[in-house]
Amino acid sequence: MSVPSLGQDMGVIYCLLAAIAWGTTGTVASLAPEVPAPAIGAAAMGLGGLLQAAIAWRAIRDAREGLGRTWGLLVVGAIAVAIYPLAFYSSMRLAGVTIGTVISIGSAPLVSALLENRLERRPLSLRWAIGAAIGIAGMILLSRADADHGAIAPDAPLGVGLGLVAGGTYALYSWTAGQLMQRRIPAMAAMGATFGLGGLLLMPVLAATGGPLLDGPRNFAVGAYMVIVPMFLGYIAFGRGLERIASSLATTITLFEPVVAALLAVLIVGERLPVTGWLGVALILACLLWITLPLPRLPAERRLRRATVPRR
């Protein structure tokens, strides 16, 4: 009994470490303000994606025939991988770390459900509709928080829009990776190929905008941190966690990411949000918990389930 318990505990710890690593990205990026946001994004996702492909190279090679048959999904996913960091880091640069992170993360599950509805004909549930209403209300409060008091950057509306683009592209490459796995492509090969090809697409952006990353040790350290810690080690930790616990629990644990991002933004970056802004953050987190956590089964529902299960 102790071994499975220990394995589950380690799975929780791995996922928590991944969420903490991802939550530091906005604050660390703010330490190099002269580096353009596209350069930060291209370095983090581009070089980090190539590292992911490198460690998955053997799995990619073994699955090359299957990847060749599903090249359309692979290309769409790679394009989404390339767009995501450019929108995500630009959103944080324009709207602030807290707003950019929360909007990007909060919108992704809603877009995922819409993708499944339109592309797989999965019906939208009442639970999803309630969660979407809560999340949209939170996003509206965040985007309309009082900028006159200096709490939110003047470019926050554009940052919110880019955050929605980031959430949409995150949902899109997650969906394409899932489709690859459903077509019997191993998870390591599907993710490695998607991130690797997306990383290649980001190399021209890095070459065009990444010069400031070499202007001094601080900028270089920020770029190196982005590549190694959140993108490379963070995803390795998350994968180790998925090997030990259910994906629903792993996803719920990673909701700690926006909490980390908001705390660091306030304590280190010095960001301020008015009460309406924090209410928006709370609503988006409530939306994530609502659509992610399993609902308790009602007593009548449990009785019906027992009555309908055939007895041996």
mmCIF file of all heavy atoms in Angstrom, residues 61 166 184 232 302:
data_model
loop_
_atom_site.group_PDB
_atom_site.id
_atom_site.type_symbol
_atom_site.label_atom_id
_atom_site.label_comp_id
_atom_site.label_asym_id
_atom_site.label_seq_id
_atom_site.Cartn_x
_atom_site.Cartn_y
_atom_site.Cartn_z
ATOM 1 N N ARG A 61 11.602 8.963 -34.348
ATOM 2 C CA ARG A 61 12.098 8.130 -35.437
ATOM 3 C C ARG A 61 11.278 6.855 -35.576
ATOM 4 O O ARG A 61 10.905 6.463 -36.686
ATOM 5 C CB ARG A 61 13.565 7.782 -35.176
ATOM 6 C CG ARG A 61 14.233 6.964 -36.288
ATOM 7 C CD ARG A 61 15.560 6.426 -35.800
ATOM 8 N NE ARG A 61 15.373 5.534 -34.636
ATOM 9 C CZ ARG A 61 16.390 5.097 -33.890
ATOM 10 N NH1 ARG A 61 17.625 5.469 -34.142
ATOM 11 N NH2 ARG A 61 16.140 4.287 -32.866
ATOM 12 N N ALA A 166 -3.290 33.548 -27.214
ATOM 13 C CA ALA A 166 -2.420 32.552 -26.573
ATOM 14 C C ALA A 166 -3.243 31.373 -26.054
ATOM 15 O O ALA A 166 -2.871 30.205 -26.259
ATOM 16 C CB ALA A 166 -1.639 33.203 -25.431
ATOM 17 N N ARG A 184 -2.678 6.457 -32.420
ATOM 18 C CA ARG A 184 -1.649 5.498 -32.007
ATOM 19 C C ARG A 184 -0.216 6.028 -32.154
ATOM 20 O O ARG A 184 0.723 5.258 -32.311
ATOM 21 C CB ARG A 184 -1.794 4.171 -32.781
ATOM 22 C CG ARG A 184 -3.128 3.491 -32.552
ATOM 23 C CD ARG A 184 -3.198 2.164 -33.285
ATOM 24 N NE ARG A 184 -4.488 1.522 -33.100
ATOM 25 C CZ ARG A 184 -4.836 0.770 -32.057
ATOM 26 N NH1 ARG A 184 -3.966 0.574 -31.094
ATOM 27 N NH2 ARG A 184 -6.038 0.234 -31.973
ATOM 28 N N PHE A 232 11.797 23.378 -20.560
ATOM 29 C CA PHE A 232 12.404 22.045 -20.620
ATOM 30 C C PHE A 232 12.125 21.258 -19.335
ATOM 31 O O PHE A 232 11.423 20.241 -19.349
ATOM 32 C CB PHE A 232 13.906 22.176 -20.856
ATOM 33 C CG PHE A 232 14.609 20.867 -21.040
ATOM 34 C CD1 PHE A 232 14.278 20.019 -22.080
ATOM 35 C CD2 PHE A 232 15.601 20.467 -20.156
ATOM 36 C CE1 PHE A 232 14.922 18.800 -22.244
ATOM 37 C CE2 PHE A 232 16.250 19.257 -20.312
ATOM 38 C CZ PHE A 232 15.906 18.423 -21.357
ATOM 39 N N ARG A 302 -26.060 8.007 -7.360
ATOM 40 C CA ARG A 302 -25.315 6.812 -6.987
ATOM 41 C C ARG A 302 -26.237 5.600 -6.929
ATOM 42 O O ARG A 302 -25.882 4.502 -7.354
ATOM 43 C CB ARG A 302 -24.626 7.039 -5.637
ATOM 44 C CG ARG A 302 -23.426 7.971 -5.704
ATOM 45 C CD ARG A 302 -22.561 7.812 -4.473
ATOM 46 N NE ARG A 302 -23.264 8.243 -3.271
ATOM 47 C CZ ARG A 302 -23.174 9.463 -2.762
ATOM 48 N NH1 ARG A 302 -22.434 10.373 -3.365
ATOM 49 N NH2 ARG A 302 -23.831 9.778 -1.650
#
